[in-house]
Amino acid sequence: MELPRPGPDGRVYVITQTAARLIGVDESTITRWRTLGYLKPVPGSPPRKPLYLWDDVVEAEYLARQAAITASGTDVQCRRRLAA
């Protein structure tokens, strides 16, 4: 699947369903990122069909992965192995 065409301002906007398909997650994951504050809809977008900037979706995925790594302790374990 390809990214949608950029808008008149040169930025790419996506709805929840498109963001989920492009990132490879369930739509509920995009909604959860929004609830957790990792992702904010574009101001003025409809509440039932929010628009997101593609760059914000990518950043939200990164933030969610970093939070998961921190919560799991994986990062600490990797650093210990590398230090040994």
Side-chain angles (χ1 to χ4, degrees):
M1 176 173 229
E2 293 181 21
L3 282 176
R5 290 185 180 169
D9 60 358
R11 301 162 99 186
V12 176
Y13 297 89
V14 292
I15 59 174
T16 302
Q17 294 83 358
T18 305
R21 267 190 257 125
L22 289 169
I23 290 287
V25 298
D26 193 75
E27 291 175 27
S28 63
T29 302
I30 302 294
T31 303
R32 189 173 336 112
W33 291 348
R34 182 178 173 182
T35 302
L36 292 171
Y38 298 144
L39 184 60
K40 293 184 181 181
V42 173
S45 64
R48 294 187 186 267
K49 206 164 196 172
L51 283 174
Y52 303 102
L53 285 171
W54 174 246
D55 291 342
D56 292 347
V57 173
V58 172
E59 182 178 353
E61 180 190 27
Y62 174 79
L63 293 171
R65 287 185 187 275
Q66 291 304 309
I69 288 169
T70 300
S72 70
T74 304
D75 191 39
V76 174
Q77 293 171 6
C78 289
R79 277 191 259 140
R80 284 184 187 148
R81 279 190 219 132
L82 291 172

